[in-house]
Amino acid sequence: MECVVQGIIETQHVEALEILLQGLCGVRRERLRIHELCLKSGPNLGSVASEVRLLCDLEQPEPTWTVKHLGGAIKGTGAEQMSVLVRNMVESKASKNVLRLFYALGYKLDHELLRVGFAFHFQRGAHQLTVTVSSVNKMLKLHSTDEAVPVTPGIQLVEVTATAPENYTDVAQSVAGFCEFLAPLLHLSKPGISTGVVPTAAAAAASLMSDGGGTTL
């Protein structure tokens, strides 16, 4: 399973967010350049639609591929009341022939994106968290990552994720607790629940730029 929250921030405040994350996470950032292809199953694969994402890491000397399947959100009063989305997730490394394989199985390309930015992978207590900050870009031509243009110019997507066991409560609370440190710059919530840009972002960014960072957790 996966715990996830998302939010948006104006590009002009990303540098301040990076300073804050550097102080909070206590690790170096990693550059991010991911070509994401969303595939959906055809009618020959059953009446229930299936969707998989193929992630190609273009930052590696030799691009690497990952297959990711996202299931539905966990139901129940406890899960629905949390500020963090908990959903089923399965992912696995794959070879460079994975796209050809899924085409052969009857899947079709629904859309593709290029995510460019940076990520922090760090430990918070007993849990491994990942924060990604990226510009989401669309392709003007099929697979033309060099010609990608921003979907929302001036806005970047921020995502905090953590893998979780069946007893996901502690992990979800860890993610929610970490998000509170980012509150002056952006608000993070369940995917699909947009709260827009935080009014205090400009003042918080100016303060961070002047004092140079936060406190390591």
Side-chain angles (χ1 to χ4, degrees), residues 20 24 87 159 164 177:
L20 177 58
L24 291 172
R87 62 190 178 191
E159 191 172 68

Side-chain angles (χ1 to χ4, degrees), residues 45-204:
L45 294 176
S47 58
V48 179
S50 172
E51 179 179 305
V52 297
R53 300 183 188 186
L54 305 184
L55 310 176
C56 182
D57 187 350
L58 301 176
E59 273 299 318
Q60 302 302 318
E62 183 71 26
T64 59
W65 289 83
T66 300
V67 181
K68 188 171 186 177
H69 177 265
L70 297 176
I74 300 300
K75 301 295 184 182
T77 305
E80 292 173 359
Q81 288 180 345
M82 289 191 299
S83 59
V84 176
L85 178 70
V86 183
R87 62 190 178 191
N88 290 303
M89 183 274 292
V90 178
E91 65 177 0
S92 175
K93 296 295 183 183
S95 75
K96 62 182 180 181
N97 298 317
V98 65
L99 180 58
R100 189 183 307 169
L101 170 64
F102 275 95
Y103 280 160
L105 290 173
Y107 282 78
K108 297 183 181 299
L109 179 65
D110 184 69
H111 64 272
E112 57 181 338
L113 300 168
L114 179 69
R115 299 181 186 273
V116 181
F118 57 88
F120 286 91
H121 304 279
F122 64 101
Q123 199 78 14
R124 185 166 195 258
H127 310 120
Q128 180 79 20
L129 274 62
T130 296
V131 183
T132 60
V133 182
S134 61
S135 168
V136 180
N137 304 273
K138 60 184 178 180
M139 259 62 83
L140 301 178
K141 299 177 184 177
L142 187 66
H143 307 332
S144 57
T145 55
D146 291 338
E147 300 177 33
V149 296
V151 174
T152 51
I155 296 292
Q156 299 210 19
L157 176 70
V158 181
E159 191 172 68
V160 181
T161 59
T163 55
E166 288 188 17
N167 184 12
Y168 53 80
T169 305
D170 287 348
V171 182
Q173 289 176 345
S174 183
V175 171
F178 177 78
C179 293
E180 293 178 6
F181 291 102
L182 308 182
L185 278 175
L186 75 157
H187 178 72
L188 293 152
S189 56
K190 295 179 179 180
I193 304 176
S194 177
T195 54
V197 175
V198 175
T200 57

Side-chain angles (χ1 to χ4, degrees), residues 7-73:
I8 59 173
I9 189 170
E10 292 179 285
T11 302
Q12 62 182 326
H13 301 321
V14 166
E15 185 178 355
L17 176 60
E18 182 182 350
I19 290 173
L20 177 58
L21 288 171
Q22 186 73 63
L24 291 172
C25 303
V27 296
R28 288 175 174 262
R29 73 166 199 172
E30 297 179 14
R31 292 177 61 180
L32 186 76
R33 186 175 174 84
I34 301 290
H35 182 194
E36 179 178 315
L37 300 98
C38 180
L39 306 178
K40 291 190 175 181
S41 60
N44 60 312
L45 294 176
S47 58
V48 179
S50 172
E51 179 179 305
V52 297
R53 300 183 188 186
L54 305 184
L55 310 176
C56 182
D57 187 350
L58 301 176
E59 273 299 318
Q60 302 302 318
E62 183 71 26
T64 59
W65 289 83
T66 300
V67 181
K68 188 171 186 177
H69 177 265
L70 297 176

